[in-house]
Amino acid sequence: MKLARVCCIGIVLLAYLVPGGQLHFLRGVRAQDAVRHEVFLPMVVGDPGTELLPTLTPIPTRTPTKTPAPTATPTATPLPTRPPVTDPNCDLLDVEAELAVLLRESPGQQRPSLVCNTILSTVARARARDMAERDYFDHINPDGIGPNYLVLSAGYPLPAYYDLSQTGNNIESIGAGHPTPDAVWAAWMASSYHRIHLLGSNQFFGDQDEYGVGYHHDPQSRYRHYWVVITARQAE
């Protein structure tokens, strides 16, 4: 059984499920100090398959013509099961693109628009990799640096009313141990703190109109799968 954990925006929280489906939170605990609860979160996982585009039969014309030479029948193209991420600013991995679709297309999404930002995605992916390689699960890395400071250092200008200290976080949700985008999204949606951040359910988060998604898989790491979503807005 795999350990599945989430940590939410603004407060360093770790979450786990106990029998009966209730989420519990551990405040301010790093991965190496956390009590391990081996649980499975509900996942909506399935491959509905794809449908093939039909081959169209030409409609005969009224004027008789010579029978054209036979041509090769075009190969039908499978329909995608989810809309692709079309924003040219972000070069997302396939699993990152799937999570981005869940973020943007969720029925509960309150933001009128969300645009992928290259800096935010680069920082999000680096954060996921760093947690795997340095064996921690926290918004603040072992160097004492939080996500706000990391995106600022990467060149993304946050508004002055954000927490601009080295440990500040007004922008990030993280998850670990969930093997698929659907699984980590389901875990986040089961947490009220994550829902507020990811769905923009209040004015502060609702004003964040840019996002980045990061994923890292390391089979030798503690949780194997690491997920990061960053939402933010640029200073005017």
Side-chain angles (χ1 to χ4, degrees), residues 33 70 84 116 146 179:
D33 302 322
C116 190

Side-chain angles (χ1 to χ4, degrees), residues 68-72:
T71 59

Side-chain angles (χ1 to χ4, degrees), residues 56-141:
L56 299 178
T57 302
I59 300 174
T61 59
R62 295 180 181 275
T63 304
T65 59
K66 293 183 179 180
T67 303
T71 59
T73 302
T75 302
T77 302
L79 289 171
T81 56
R82 283 182 174 147
V85 174
T86 57
D87 191 324
N89 295 327
C90 293
D91 184 18
L92 299 179
L93 302 173
D94 288 346
V95 290
E96 292 170 341
E98 289 185 34
L99 185 55
V101 169
L102 291 170
L103 174 69
R104 296 193 327 267
E105 305 297 332
S106 171
Q109 183 57 254
Q110 300 299 303
R111 301 175 179 96
S113 67
L114 273 169
V115 178
C116 190
N117 179 276
T118 303
I119 294 177
L120 298 183
S121 281
T122 299
V123 172
R125 191 179 296 170
R127 287 273 298 126
R129 183 187 306 111
D130 189 53
M131 285 190 287
E133 292 180 350
R134 295 207 278 176
D135 191 25
Y136 72 98
F137 180 74
D138 204 317
H139 291 295
I140 302 173
N141 69 22

